[in-house]
């Protein structure tokens, strides 16, 4: 089989990505819309008010499975299915490429298909003309000034025809759609070398918003131990939004900080509010803990900094109060810190730092019980799987000189750069030259690091996994349509011009890796 010249493959991939953009937009709009069929229906009639959010992805992910088959994004229906966790998985391979399967490069495509809460009434009230499921419903009432204040970057008004609005458009249904449509192109160009020497494994994961990296955690902890080389990834492409409102769209991201939840439970003694001396007030002592923790973060006491990933952070993110009434001293106050971990920080020390707060000691001295620890994620997935993992998600960095990052830069220059006009480079728009950077937020990437001491996964040396401190992970990089600053926002949107180039990049990357 004659190998196509790289320039020929580049041109064909770019052309097919342009051809399939209307298809991709159609799939994206439907993936965003689907929860509208369920959120207002009674449970007895198949309704689900949380449809589309973590652990409630069923209708959407079933649609994505059907779409993979209907558009020819796999060669055989048997190559698509769900794992026990609930992740949608599919496989692409050229069986006639003459390369032994055990010697092929294994490329994972990873994106999550759950979203944060839609907040439908808030969308209506604040935007005037947008619905989180239906997108633009009333152009005449659309509050463009609000959207420009709320979102990190929007193109000029005369380019808004390129925008798809809706919950999950940027975070990160656009990424999952780009994987699916790129898979269709890879199958179509199989005879021209697009899949030569590689196995591509696609994943649309679930429950990421609630349990960062939960889908990959299942893969690395349950499926990869004892697995053959053709299952072990050489490279993972994370398709979460990798654009920045000032630096430009479609960055190639090679790292992110880790994340953990630290839960503090303050238990006191309830009594009537008119005689507080009879009780021990957990809300007041808990408030003191929160205030001291905030002051210490403001002064960066106990937080490491890293020249690439940035400094560790800690912020109060959730609280629950148990009290008989609003005229009583409460029984218990429980709250959580969202702790972002940079390189050099450990979960153990982060917990100790909270334990060491003066306000914690003062609460205990006053007779209250204060428990500090890491919660376990126990919510069952849409398939009924209970993860049971501590809510600790590790940071990762892929060195810039790693062949995977160099292949990503080359793929960008091959299928994106020639199709971006220099005059378009402003704010969060497309850039001609690839931008290698890092995420501020979390992605599924936190689920791939495994303890370096864990030998249950047999990783051949040629796969060049990255060792970072006490952990190791496959080379990872991010590339996805959407801007970080627009995710989780009211009025969230995606520029479809980015979607086209994300599809082209994903379709070109596997052969670029194989060539190297």
């Amino acid at each position: 089989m004659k190998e196509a010249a790289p320039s020929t493959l580049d041109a064909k991939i770019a052309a097919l990505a342009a051809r399939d953009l209307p298809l991709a937009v159609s799939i994206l709009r439907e993936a965003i819309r689907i929860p509208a069929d369920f959120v207002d229906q009674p449970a007895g009639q198949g309704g689900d008010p949380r449809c589309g959010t973590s652990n409630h992805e069923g209708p959407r992910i079933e649609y994505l499975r059907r779409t993979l088959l209907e558009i020819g994004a796999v060669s055989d229906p048997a190559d698509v299915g769900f794992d026990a966790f609930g992740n949608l998985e599919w496989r692409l391979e050229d069986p006639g490429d003459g390369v032994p399967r055990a010697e092929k490069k294994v490329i994972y495509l990873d994106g999550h298909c759950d979203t944060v809460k839609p907040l439908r009434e808030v969308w209506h009230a604040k935007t005037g003309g947008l619905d989180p499921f239906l997108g633009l419903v009333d152009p005449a009432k659309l509050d463009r000034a609000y959207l420009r204040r709320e979102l990190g970057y929007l193109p000029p008004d005369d380019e808004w025809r390129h925008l798809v609005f809706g919950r999950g458009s940027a975070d990160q249904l656009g990424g999952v759609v780009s994987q699916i449509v790129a898979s269709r192109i890879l199958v179509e160009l199989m005879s021209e070398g697009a899949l030569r020497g590689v196995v591509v494994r696609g994943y649309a994961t679930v429950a990421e918003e609630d349990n960062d990296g939960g889908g990959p955690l299942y893969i690395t902890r349950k499926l990869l131990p004892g697995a053959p080389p053709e299952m072990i990834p050489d490279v993972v492409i994370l398709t979460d939004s990798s654009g920045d409102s000032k630096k430009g769209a479609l960055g190639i991201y090679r790292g992110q900080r880790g994340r953990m939840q630290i839960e503090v439970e303050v238990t006191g003694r309830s009594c009537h509010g008119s005689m507080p001396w009879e009780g021990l007030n957990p809300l007041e002592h808990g408030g003191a803990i929160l205030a001291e923790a905030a002051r210490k973060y403001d002064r960066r006491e106990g937080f490491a900094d890293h020249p690439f990933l940035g400094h560790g952070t800690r912020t109060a993110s959730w609280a629950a109060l148990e009290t008989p009434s609003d005229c009583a001293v409460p029984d218990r106050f429980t709250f959580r810190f969202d702790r972002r971990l940079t390189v050099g920080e450990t979960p153990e020390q982060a917990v100790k730092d909270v334990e060491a707060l003066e306000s914690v000691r003062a609460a205990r001295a006053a007779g209250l019980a204060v428990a500090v620890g890491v919660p376990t994620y126990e919510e069952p997935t849409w398939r009924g799987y209970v993860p049971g993992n501590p809510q600790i998600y590790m940071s990762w960095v892929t060195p810039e000189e790693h062949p995977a990052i160099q292949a990503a830069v080359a793929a960008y220059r091959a299928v994106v750069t020639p199709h971006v006009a220099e005059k378009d480079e402003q704010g969060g728009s497309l850039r001609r030259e690839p931008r290698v950077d890092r995420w501020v937020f979390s992605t599924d990437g936190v689920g791939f690091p495994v303890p370096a001491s864990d030998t249950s996964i047999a990783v051949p040396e040629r796969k060049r996994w990255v060792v970072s401190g006490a952990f190791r992970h496959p080379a990872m990089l991010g590339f996805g349509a959407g801007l970080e600053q627009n995710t989780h926002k009211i009025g969230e949107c995606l520029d479809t011009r980015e979607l086209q180039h994300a599809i082209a990049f994903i379709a070109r990357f596997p052969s670029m890796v194989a060539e190297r």
Side-chain angles (χ1 to χ4, degrees):
M1 185 164 49
K2 184 178 179 181
E3 182 173 354
S7 59
T8 301
L9 189 58
D10 296 343
K12 288 188 175 181
I13 286 174
L16 292 179
R19 180 201 69 183
D20 285 350
L21 179 58
L23 172 65
V25 172
S26 174
I27 297 169
L28 176 59
R29 290 188 188 280
E30 180 63 6
I32 294 169
R33 189 206 66 80
I34 281 174
D37 292 339
F38 299 89
V39 293
D40 294 326
Q41 292 294 323
Q45 298 177 21
D48 179 2
R50 294 174 61 189
C51 183
T53 62
S54 295
N55 305 308
H56 296 260
E57 304 92 343
R60 175 182 290 138
I61 203 167
E62 289 279 12
Y63 163 73
L64 295 174
R65 181 191 64 81
R66 294 193 302 271
T67 299
L68 276 161
L69 296 172
E70 290 169 2
I71 70 171
V74 290
S75 299
D76 189 312
D79 292 333
V80 182
F82 296 108
D83 62 24
F85 190 86
N87 302 314
L88 174 63
E89 55 182 2
W90 65 97
R91 183 174 63 85
L92 307 175
E93 184 179 7
D94 181 356
D97 62 5
V99 181
R101 177 175 287 178
E103 296 178 11
K104 293 185 177 186
K105 299 287 181 66
V106 180
I107 315 296
Y108 279 19
L109 310 177
D110 177 287
H112 68 86
C113 70
D114 58 319
T115 73
V116 295
K117 294 177 182 178
L119 305 177
R120 197 173 197 181
E121 295 306 316
V122 181
W123 276 62
H124 295 169
K126 291 192 173 183
T127 71
L130 294 179
D131 184 271
F133 305 128
L134 307 179
L136 181 59
V137 293
D138 194 338
K141 293 182 179 179
L142 185 63
D143 189 339
R144 291 175 180 250
Y146 167 80
L147 291 173
R148 290 203 177 280
R149 292 193 304 271
E150 180 73 5
L151 301 178
Y153 171 79
L154 286 167
D157 285 11
D158 61 357
E159 297 180 13
W160 280 33
R161 67 187 182 280
H162 298 292
L163 300 181
V164 171
F165 290 95
R167 178 62 82 210
S169 54
D171 187 15
Q172 73 145 120
L173 298 176
V176 174
V177 170
S178 68
Q179 295 174 208
I180 290 172
V181 178
S183 295
R184 166 185 160 105
I185 292 173
L186 285 165
V187 170
E188 187 169 345
L189 296 179
M190 184 188 305
S191 63
E192 301 193 40
L195 285 169
R196 182 175 294 117
V198 300
V199 175
V200 175
R201 305 189 69 88
Y203 292 94
T205 66
V206 297
E208 189 273 348
E209 294 291 358
D210 269 12
N211 187 29
D212 296 32
L217 278 169
Y218 172 79
I219 294 168
T220 55
R221 273 55 171 181
K222 301 295 183 181
L223 301 184
L224 294 189
E230 60 266 27
M231 279 287 296
I232 311 296
D234 291 72
V235 185
V236 178
I237 300 180
L238 303 160
T239 61
D240 220 328
S241 49
S242 64
D244 184 272
S245 62
K246 294 183 174 61
K247 300 177 184 177
L250 293 177
I252 297 169
Y253 285 0
R254 63 178 186 88
Q256 66 176 88
R257 296 173 301 168
R259 185 177 83 83
M260 68 182 298
Q261 290 288 312
I262 301 175
E263 185 171 279
V264 182
E265 182 183 84
V266 186
T267 304
R269 184 172 66 243
S270 182
C271 70
H272 198 284
S274 66
M275 51 189 82
W277 56 84
E278 292 290 332
L280 294 171
N281 197 317
L283 182 55
E284 293 178 353
H285 282 276
I289 295 170
L290 287 166
E292 182 186 357
R295 288 193 301 272
K296 284 187 174 292
Y297 169 67
D298 287 343
R299 296 193 296 263
R300 302 294 189 269
E301 293 181 17
F303 296 87
D305 200 354
H306 185 264
F308 179 61
L309 292 186
H311 70 274
T313 61
R314 181 178 61 210
T315 190
S317 57
W318 175 89
L321 183 67
E322 298 174 36
T323 184
S325 74
D326 63 356
C327 62
V329 169
D331 290 299
R332 182 178 292 108
F333 180 42
T334 306
F335 55 91
R336 291 181 181 179
F337 292 110
D338 179 282
R339 179 68 162 90
R340 303 288 160 152
L341 301 163
T342 195
V343 173
E345 296 182 319
T346 67
E348 296 78 13
Q349 186 59 50
V351 171
K352 290 179 181 178
D353 289 343
V354 176
E355 281 274 7
L357 293 173
E358 290 290 341
S359 49
V360 170
R361 284 197 287 269
R364 288 169 176 164
L368 294 90
V370 182
V372 182
V374 178
T376 299
Y377 191 80
E378 301 283 7
E379 291 294 317
T381 70
W382 75 282
R383 299 281 279 194
Y385 186 92
V386 178
N389 60 276
Q391 291 191 255
I392 297 173
Y393 317 97
M394 296 307 298
S395 64
W396 58 272
V397 180
T398 302
E400 190 163 9
E401 65 272 13
H402 194 287
I405 303 300
Q406 298 307 306
V409 169
Y412 189 102
R413 287 180 172 146
V415 297
V416 179
T417 297
H419 307 283
V420 177
E422 290 185 26
K423 66 179 178 64
D424 294 335
E425 298 188 7
Q426 57 180 330
S429 62
L430 293 162
R431 299 291 192 266
R432 284 180 56 80
E433 276 300 296
R435 174 176 62 86
V436 179
D437 209 330
R438 55 93 174 100
W439 271 298
V440 177
F441 64 22
S442 293
T443 75
D444 256 348
V446 297
F448 285 100
V450 298
S453 59
D454 182 356
T455 59
S456 64
I457 302 176
V459 183
E461 190 69 25
R462 60 179 172 78
K463 289 185 179 285
R464 299 192 62 164
W465 275 33
V466 177
V467 177
S468 178
F471 286 82
R472 61 174 178 158
H473 59 80
M476 289 188 276
L477 62 98
F479 195 85
L483 306 181
E484 254 189 295
Q485 293 85 353
N486 289 357
T487 63
H488 294 195
K489 295 280 189 72
I490 302 300
E492 175 184 353
C493 62
L494 181 77
D495 191 319
T496 59
R497 290 170 292 189
E498 298 172 32
L499 187 62
Q500 174 181 331
H501 296 309
I503 291 167
F505 174 93
I506 293 170
R508 184 62 174 99
F509 183 81
S511 52
M512 192 67 76
V513 167
E515 290 166 10
R516 291 166 178 259

